[in-house]
Amino acid sequence: MPFIAAQPYEYELPIESQIALIVIDMQRDFLEPGGFGEVLGNEVGRANAIVPTVKRLLEGCRSLNLPIFHTQEGHCADLSDCPKSKLKRGRGDLTIGDSGKLGRILILGEPGNEIISELAPIAGEVLIPKPGKGAFYNTDLEVQLIARNITHLLIAGVTTEVCVQTTMREANDRGYECLLVEDATASYFPEFKQATLEMVRAQGGIVGWTATTDQVLEGVRSWKAAG
Ligand code: C5J
């Protein structure tokens, strides 16, 4: 059976269902100066550094015809989908909904909310706007996965310990086989990324698997060739 060489052990690829790539929140608000990430006091260069690797993963998965999903964290202009608790805690010099250098912070449709141009979705790929950290909360992601018979998720994006890990845990509880792509995810805190990778694959893969972009593309290539 085709597999991806992964930790803590081989990630078996499915026989009768599909694998998808999910790229989490590679949007200007988290990657560029002036966006939400920087307003919260973070060094956004750390997140931006993975863009070439995520691009390689994305293009590799496109060339292998995998279904591709992109998520985008954001709220409607009137903030009716933003819990008061989130507004209160997401506070740097500015907060969600305030006007910043990239438009209103974390508001759908504003310049800062766009997926960066290098990784922008192309025709046929699914964009999932999400009000929460996890991509399943208050979105139609699960409906879209079921419609495509997807059971296996390759997960990349930012930030590792927040939206990426939350999504991975939500997916794990729903029965999806999840693999976090180690070099295609980043945190503003390198130690949090490392801890998340270890947490995911601890205890026999309690949340899932981790592997590098090269390992993922090699495994998916052999899966396609066998199928
Ligand atoms: C955060 C995210 N960190 N995409 N969002 O607020 O991880």
Side-chain angles (χ1 to χ4, degrees):
M1 177 177 294
F3 62 86
I4 294 172
Q7 293 192 58
Y9 50 86
E10 290 170 356
Y11 175 81
E12 285 183 4
L13 295 169
I15 296 173
E16 289 181 347
S17 56
Q18 294 304 315
I19 316 169
L21 172 69
I22 304 200
V23 183
I24 307 282
D25 299 357
M26 292 298 284
Q27 55 199 76
R28 298 181 66 197
D29 263 325
F30 295 116
L31 300 174
E32 292 186 11
F36 187 45
E38 190 180 78
V39 160
L40 291 176
N42 297 302
E43 174 48 68
V44 290
R46 293 204 173 113
N48 206 32
I50 61 165
V51 171
T53 310
V54 178
K55 190 169 160 62
R56 193 159 64 79
L57 176 68
L58 182 60
E59 287 175 353
C61 290
R62 279 176 181 155
S63 74
L64 292 162
N65 289 320
L66 290 198
I68 293 170
F69 292 75
H70 303 256
T71 71
Q72 180 184 42
E73 181 179 349
H75 296 279
C76 7
D78 65 3
L79 294 174
S80 55
D81 59 354
C82 183
K84 285 199 175 64
S85 58
K86 184 174 180 183
L87 261 185
K88 211 162 134 192
R89 282 183 282 121
R91 181 167 290 282
D93 294 338
L94 299 171
T95 193
I96 299 168
D98 288 347
S99 290
K101 290 185 190 146
L102 303 179
R104 289 183 68 202
I105 291 174
L106 225 60
I107 299 296
L108 297 170
E110 293 287 327
N113 207 239
E114 286 164 11
I115 307 285
I116 57 168
S117 56
E118 298 95 309
L119 304 175
I122 60 173
E125 297 178 357
V126 184
L127 179 64
I128 305 277
K130 63 181 179 65
K133 302 302 182 196
F136 288 82
Y137 170 68
N138 251 344
T139 73
D140 68 353
L141 175 58
E142 194 165 13
V143 172
Q144 302 259 14
L145 295 174
I146 291 169
R148 291 167 178 77
N149 191 26
I150 293 163
T151 54
H152 285 57
L153 301 176
L154 307 171
I155 304 177
V158 295
T159 60
T160 317
E161 76 284 8
V162 185
C163 292
V164 172
Q165 182 171 209
T166 305
T167 298
M168 194 163 177
R169 288 176 182 272
E170 286 181 329
N172 184 54
D173 280 349
R174 286 168 172 78
Y176 293 93
E177 304 284 11
C178 300
L179 183 148
L180 176 55
V181 189
E182 294 168 24
D183 49 352
T185 183
S187 168
Y188 302 124
F189 306 88
E191 67 277 22
F192 289 177
K193 170 177 170 175
Q194 189 54 33
T196 303
L197 294 176
E198 287 170 20
M199 235 180 261
V200 160
R201 59 196 180 210
Q203 304 181 72
I206 197 160
V207 184
W209 288 259
T210 74
T212 63
T213 295
D214 285 341
Q215 289 170 322
V216 166
L217 293 177
E218 190 184 327
V220 177
R221 245 176 242 125
S222 60
W223 178 71
K224 280 280 174 181

